[in-house]
Amino acid sequence: MSHELISLAVLAIVFLVATVRGVNMGALALVAAFIVGVTVFALDADGVLTGFPANLFVILVGVTYLFALAKNNGTVDWLVHGAVRAVGGRVALVPWAMFLVCALVTAIGAVSPAAVAIVAPIAMGFAARYRIHPLMMGMMVVQGATAGSFSPIGIFGSITNGVVEQNDLPGSPAFLFGATFLAATAIAVITYVVFGGRELMTRGREDAQVAALATEAEKLSYAATRTTTGGTPHSAVEVTRTAGSGGDADDAHRLNPERIVTLLGLVALIVGALGFDLDVGFTALTIAVALTLAFPKAAKGAVEKISWGTVLLIGGIVTYVNLLQAQGVVDWLGERVAEVGAPLVAALLICLIGAVVSAFASTTGIIGALIPLAVPFLLTDQVSAIALIAALGISSSVVDCSPFSTNGALVVANADPNDRDMVFKRLMQWGMSIVVVAPIVVWAVLVLPTA
């Protein structure tokens, strides 16, 4: 077997083992990079580590550090509370409030499963209490998390834009964000209509019930996002006692100086990244450090909340893929793809691979791996790189509603026990359908017209 096939087979094994055994894919990839680099390509450890993505490391640390501060100082609480209050007693709008909360939370730097973990208990509990179809509510939460993830400071957006820049590909962060947001919104609209949205719109205003939801959302988001002075989460007892006594949890709807400055910092990051082409990682890190210096009490425990697991995952995967690039494996693969003779077919296959693997494995990992592997093909200008990257991002992320993914599993876990089996089966049906349909649709809409 050739060196190229061996190294690609090892990458496939890394995805398989990480999915089946629950080991961090990045840790496996780093070990694989060392073993393959030494035994197959005769490199030393320094040679292997030259592929470590320092720029992506700074982006992930900076963005998730900034989001951790936003959680600590209550900015996330304020967003949750504000979104729920904004529906004004209209139960039909509550699923969309959950969608927007998730989108906002991931757009400012939360890892997608973290946003779903915060919002799903609120959303699924309200669905059970007020006769909203649990599948509709779960899909709204998951697609909302996906919709925001590709913002220029979102995790998926940061990774994708970083990989694009690192490989000297043409990119458009605004187009990527807009396309993925619209795709996730379209799936949410379809789900809303199919699973009872029209019936919800016939209901009148239920101000008392929605007010109760806002209070519950406030308490739950406070428990999920705030920490004690020692950096550990508040317990449910502490939250209930604090909220009941008019303490900090009752202040979730108020904008205090920390939250105002945090929101200004997030706006500055977006404007800097899109309008002035500032480096997202260092800009986010600068804002986070400034917030820490200005408000040290609220920053306690924030460093521990950086998504180190995601940093390890993407660092390991990209290190391995960079090893393949340096040793000519990616060029070899690109030549094989070019031999297909039909660039549009190859583009569709790439999107389908992203959707299938992501439905069962890590979306972050597949985004970090497939784009570099497709670089030689993308550089041929046979199809638009910007369009195909957006199509690949959509194909790999909207399938996170699968119950075999972390987001889908969180929805199932937070469903009413009586509905859990039904939610699992329906999510599996919808997830597997999206695996097939989404790549074909986005290929037809985004890639085909640019060929």
Side-chain angles (χ1 to χ4, degrees), residues 84-92 94 204-208 210-211:
V84 175
R85 290 288 188 186
V87 302
R90 299 175 181 86
V91 174
V94 170
R205 296 168 63 95
E206 302 179 32
D207 300 288
V210 175

Side-chain angles (χ1 to χ4, degrees), residues 369-414:
L370 271 188
I371 295 175
L373 291 177
V375 166
F377 170 68
L378 292 172
L379 291 176
T380 62
D381 292 328
Q382 294 174 309
V383 298
S384 167
I386 293 174
L388 182 53
I389 289 168
L392 177 57
I394 294 168
S395 301
S396 302
S397 59
V398 295
V399 298
D400 284 349
C401 57
S402 161
F404 305 108
S405 72
T406 304
N407 287 351
L410 284 168
V411 169
V412 174
N414 284 286

Side-chain angles (χ1 to χ4, degrees), residues 347-373:
L348 178 58
L349 288 175
I350 291 172
C351 292
L352 285 168
I353 291 170
V356 171
V357 176
S358 183
F360 297 92
S362 167
T363 303
T364 307
I366 196 65
I367 289 173
L370 271 188
I371 295 175
L373 291 177

